[in-house]
């Protein structure tokens, strides 16, 4: 995991110096080193390194046998198999870095090399007069691009590296590549993304494919941990990882991490149950509401967004990532992506029919690079911690997104009479009474969005703070100040105002997509705004009262 800069065009010393300075703004993404490669008149590549694979030899820009140069942000999970194939063809890799295979493959295959990759990536490669920039299918690794006043084309891991150098810029789309001679085109185009009919009705392979996805992501030459909210998604990943690691070493110690605003936060209670069940070394982190509010500028600077759910969830993840870094852990497994794939957010209860549910899951997965995946990457990488997301493994994703949507609709079932259960299909795939991965109370726990699970007072405090600092007059005139992406609530106004101060102009604002839930009257993004959440709370109080 790293931060990258690439500039193509009429490259001179001034452009190279500007690129190197811009790479300095990405130092948090790569605190372990930096590198630069330049060809006057055509290209400059800059890199900030977070050393995960082969910390001693994996410095970038990395070179191929025939002179290609590559900068890469991400992980190539099948790099060892690719390296063996390359060696058999007379192209041996000289390091243990997963990034090196990119240089050799690009020399051999040109842009077709992208189809051979199983992993997450944003990379730029140069060979002779040609160059290639590509982004992974779901956009798990961030990438932006733009042009400077001289017409040079810039690419960078974060907006902050482009804001002072480019006169226009935008998000580089996931699943796309760009070449000098061929321009921008989509390279990843599965049937499910274009709305074609479901290819399979058999979900039986879900468990094995997710297990395989977790196993791939255990690849690391540095300490690895588990993000554990106690919800279904992170708990499944933690359970699978624990089994896989202990199958290799029964005495292996795995560290799990959870965060909340008070000791009895819903996520902390549930995470503690999971950690005890799995036998992980568990860490609970508490943060103060006032510290979270004070960190707003830092959060918006790092996550580069004014989207309400993104900011709400990024703050606790930012604090948790700092704690994880201070413990010496560089890689964590996370449960991002499952809610979008399986319709796990509570508003999916009110989808009008299976086809509407399918369309919404496709839209949510296609835009993950603008929401949860963006938040997971940038709030962890703010402290040099890499988050890996097994639910977005391509083999698992292609199966899960190709299943008929009626299989994903919530069912009326569940222990304790909780009523309709979201992500029924995923729960059923892992419900094995003879060999339970998780306690039943966790497997069937109602969905809590991360910003709610850390403690219900967190979102309430953010709203209260915003209403205190934004006057009714300012909110009434918001359209005059922000004609694009006009905020309609005090909380939205605070985030939009602070984003504009850090990333001025409409080009930056257009890189963000604001999300609101469908099929419910209350447009607030908190899960507690959903009628089903309130009904479940009432039922729970009735049982315990």
């Amino acid at each position: 995991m790293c931060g990258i800069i690439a500039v193509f065009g009429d490259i001179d010393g001034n452009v190279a110096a500007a690129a190197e300075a811009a790479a300095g703004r990405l130092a948090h993404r790569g605190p372990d080193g930096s590198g630069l490669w330049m060809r006057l008149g055509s290209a400059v590549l800059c890199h900030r390194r977070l050393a995960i694979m082969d910390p001693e030899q994996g410095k970038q820009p990395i070179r191929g046998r025939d002179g290609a140069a590559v900068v890469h942000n991400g992980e190539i999970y099948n790099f060892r198999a690719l390296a063996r194939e390359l060696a058999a063809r007379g192209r041996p890799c000289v390091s243990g870095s997963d990034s090196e295979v990119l240089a050799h493959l690009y020399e051999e295959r040109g842009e077709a090399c992208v189809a051979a990759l199983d992993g997450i990536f944003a990379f730029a490669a140069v060979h002779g007069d040609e160059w290639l920039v590509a982004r992974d299918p779901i956009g798990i690794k961030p990438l932006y691009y733009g042009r400077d006043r001289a017409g040079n084309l810039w690419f960078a891991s974060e907006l902050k590296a482009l804001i002072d150098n480019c006169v226009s810029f935008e998000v580089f789309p996931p699943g796309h590549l760009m070449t000098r001679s061929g321009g921008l085109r989509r390279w990843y185009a599965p049937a499910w993304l274009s709305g074609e009919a479901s290819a399979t009705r058999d979900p039986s392979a879900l468990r094995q494919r997710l297990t395989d996805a977790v196993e791939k992501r255990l690849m690391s030459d540095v300490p690895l941990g588990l993000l554990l909210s106690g919800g279904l998604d992170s708990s499944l990943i933690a359970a699978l990882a624990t089994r896989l690691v202990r199958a290799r070493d029964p005495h292996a110690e795995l560290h799990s991490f959870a965060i909340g605003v008070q000791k009895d936060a819903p996520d902390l209670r549930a995470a503690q149950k999971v950690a005890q069940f799995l036998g992980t070394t568990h860490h609970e982190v508490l943060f103060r509401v006032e510290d979270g509010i004070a960190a707003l500028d830092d959060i918006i600077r790092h996550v580069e967004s004014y989207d309400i759910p993104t900011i709400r969830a990024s703050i606790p993840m930012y604090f948790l990532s700092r704690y994880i870094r201070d413990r010496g852990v560089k890689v964590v497994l996370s449960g991002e992506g499952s809610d979008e794939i399986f319709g796990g957010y509570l508003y999916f209860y009110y989808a009008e029919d299976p086809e509407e549910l399918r369309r919404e899951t496709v839209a949510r997965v296609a835009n993950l690079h603008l929401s949860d995946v963006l938040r997971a990457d940038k709030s962890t990488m703010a402290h040099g911690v890499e988050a890996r997301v097994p639910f977005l493994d391509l083999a698992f994703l292609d199966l899960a997104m190709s299943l008929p949507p009626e299989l994903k609709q919530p069912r009326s079932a569940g222990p304790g009479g909780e009523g309709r259960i979201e992500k029924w299909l995923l729960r059923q795939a892992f419900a094995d009474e003879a060999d339970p991965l998780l306690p039943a109370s966790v497997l069937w726990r109602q969905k809590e969005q991360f910003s709610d699970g850390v403690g219900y007072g967190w979102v309430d405090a953010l709203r209260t703070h915003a209403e205190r600092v934004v006057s009714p007059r300012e909110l009434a005139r918001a359209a005059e100040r922000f004609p694009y992406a006009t905020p309609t609530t005090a909380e939205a106004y605070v985030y939009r105002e602070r984003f504009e101060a850090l990333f001025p102009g409409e080009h930056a604002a257009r890189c963000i997509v604001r999300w609101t839930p469908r099929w419910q009257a209350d447009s607030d993004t908190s899960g507690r705004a959903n009628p089903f959440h309130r009904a479940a709370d009432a039922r729970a109080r009735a049982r315990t009262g």
Side-chain angles (χ1 to χ4, degrees):
M1 290 299 170
C2 308
I4 66 170
I5 301 276
V7 191
F8 304 111
D10 186 12
I11 305 302
D12 58 18
N14 291 330
V15 175
E20 191 169 24
R25 293 189 171 191
L26 305 179
H28 54 281
R29 297 188 68 88
D32 297 330
S34 62
L36 180 145
W37 175 91
M38 178 176 64
R39 177 180 291 144
L40 285 174
S42 60
V44 60
L45 305 178
C46 300
H47 188 258
R48 295 291 315 200
R49 188 182 186 209
L50 178 64
I52 302 293
M53 300 303 299
D54 194 356
E56 298 301 321
Q57 298 186 65
K59 184 179 179 180
Q60 298 188 42
I62 205 158
R63 305 298 300 276
R65 187 192 69 177
D66 302 332
V70 173
V71 285
H72 168 225
N73 173 29
E75 299 287 347
I76 307 303
Y77 298 121
N78 63 335
F79 85 98
R80 290 190 174 92
L82 292 172
R84 288 193 294 270
E85 294 172 10
L86 286 164
R89 296 195 296 270
R91 291 179 175 272
C93 292
V94 299
S95 76
S97 168
D98 58 300
S99 301
E100 187 181 349
V101 298
L102 297 173
H104 298 296
L105 287 171
Y106 182 52
E107 290 174 340
E108 279 194 341
R109 309 181 192 181
E111 67 181 62
C113 71
V114 177
L117 306 178
D118 180 8
I120 58 177
F121 53 84
F123 74 86
V126 181
H127 188 209
D129 294 330
E130 191 54 84
W131 52 261
L132 164 70
V133 176
R135 191 175 184 191
D136 67 65
I138 306 302
I140 296 167
K141 290 291 97 189
L143 190 64
Y144 301 86
Y145 71 118
R147 289 193 182 272
D148 63 20
R149 294 188 183 279
N152 298 312
L153 193 56
W154 288 64
F155 300 84
S157 297
E158 295 185 2
L159 271 177
K160 59 180 63 66
L162 300 182
I163 196 75
D164 292 335
N165 294 296
C166 295
V167 294
S168 64
F169 43 84
E170 58 190 293
V171 176
F172 192 96
H176 282 68
L177 60 80
M178 183 184 289
T179 63
R180 177 177 176 271
S181 56
L184 181 69
R185 71 171 181 85
R186 174 175 283 281
W187 69 269
Y188 176 72
W192 62 263
L193 188 59
S194 58
E196 295 181 27
S198 299
T200 178
R201 302 190 67 87
D202 183 10
S204 61
L206 284 174
R207 180 167 180 151
Q208 186 58 53
R209 290 203 186 185
L210 187 59
T211 302
D212 294 343
V214 172
E215 186 163 25
K216 290 178 195 176
R217 285 155 181 82
L218 296 176
M219 176 185 87
S220 178
D221 291 335
V222 296
L224 181 146
L226 306 166
L227 294 182
L228 185 58
S229 70
L232 173 67
D233 307 327
S234 66
S235 299
L236 280 179
I237 300 303
L240 291 171
T242 301
R243 287 198 174 190
L244 289 165
V245 169
R246 290 189 179 142
R248 302 173 189 172
D249 178 2
H251 304 293
E253 183 181 28
L254 271 171
H255 291 258
S256 56
F257 303 89
I259 190 167
V261 291
Q262 67 264 346
K263 290 288 289 183
D264 64 344
D267 279 1
L268 289 184
R269 294 198 306 268
Q272 189 176 65
K273 289 182 183 178
V274 176
Q276 289 174 345
F277 185 85
L278 299 178
T280 62
T281 300
H282 190 55
H283 305 257
E284 287 189 351
V285 179
L286 296 178
F287 75 100
R288 300 190 310 164
V289 167
E290 52 267 37
D291 290 338
I293 292 171
L296 274 172
D297 278 350
D298 283 343
I299 300 302
I300 293 172
R301 181 181 297 107
H302 277 292
V303 301
E304 303 180 325
S305 179
Y306 49 81
D307 175 55
I308 289 176
T310 296
I311 303 304
R312 287 174 175 176
S314 291
I315 294 173
M317 185 168 276
Y318 175 85
F319 288 139
L320 183 59
S321 300
R322 183 172 63 192
Y323 176 90
I324 291 169
R325 176 204 64 191
D326 291 345
R327 305 282 83 71
V329 173
K330 281 191 172 184
V331 179
V332 289
L333 301 189
S334 179
E336 259 74 37
S338 174
D339 289 311
E340 290 77 9
I341 296 169
F342 293 100
Y345 295 110
L346 296 184
Y347 77 91
F348 276 97
Y349 283 140
Y350 302 99
E352 297 160 8
D353 55 52
E355 178 57 20
E356 281 294 301
L357 184 144
R358 184 196 67 78
R359 290 178 184 171
E360 182 69 359
T361 58
V362 170
R364 290 304 304 271
V365 171
N367 284 310
L368 269 168
H369 67 291
L370 300 169
S371 55
D372 279 15
V373 158
L374 176 147
R375 181 256 304 162
D377 175 88
K378 291 185 179 179
S379 55
T380 55
M381 288 297 284
H383 298 295
V385 175
E386 172 194 330
R388 294 181 178 173
V389 285
F391 279 108
L392 298 177
D393 178 83
L394 286 192
F396 179 83
L397 185 66
D398 284 346
L399 171 60
M401 294 300 291
S402 298
L403 294 170
E406 56 266 23
L407 294 181
K408 298 181 181 180
Q409 284 196 303
R411 309 293 180 90
S412 295
E418 266 64 0
R420 297 160 74 190
I421 301 298
E422 86 282 357
K423 287 186 287 192
W424 171 267
L425 179 61
L426 183 63
R427 295 171 194 273
Q428 286 296 106
F430 288 91
D432 184 347
E433 292 183 5
D435 184 23
L437 273 174
L438 295 167
S441 62
V442 173
L443 185 65
W444 296 96
R445 180 189 174 199
Q446 179 184 277
K447 170 67 184 175
E448 289 282 11
Q449 288 172 214
F450 182 53
S451 54
D452 294 324
V454 298
Y456 291 168
W458 170 234
V459 168
D460 296 342
L462 286 171
R463 289 199 200 103
T464 300
H465 166 75
E467 289 163 2
R468 187 169 59 249
V469 300
V470 177
S471 71
R473 176 180 171 83
E474 286 177 304
L475 191 56
R477 301 183 65 176
E480 298 175 23
R481 185 170 182 187
F482 305 110
Y484 180 80
T486 304
T488 58
T489 67
E491 186 182 6
Y493 190 100
V494 168
Y495 305 156
R496 184 72 176 85
E497 180 180 51
R498 295 186 180 194
F499 179 88
E500 181 71 20
L502 293 164
F503 305 98
E506 192 168 314
H507 286 292
R510 287 186 178 276
C511 291
I512 286 61
V513 171
R514 296 180 298 182
W515 172 74
T516 55
R518 297 181 62 189
W519 307 308
Q520 67 183 51
D522 191 333
S523 63
D524 191 90
T525 57
S526 167
R528 291 183 294 138
N530 186 278
F532 186 76
H533 191 287
R534 292 196 290 267
D537 280 349
R539 290 193 297 273
R541 286 194 297 271
R543 288 198 303 272
T544 60

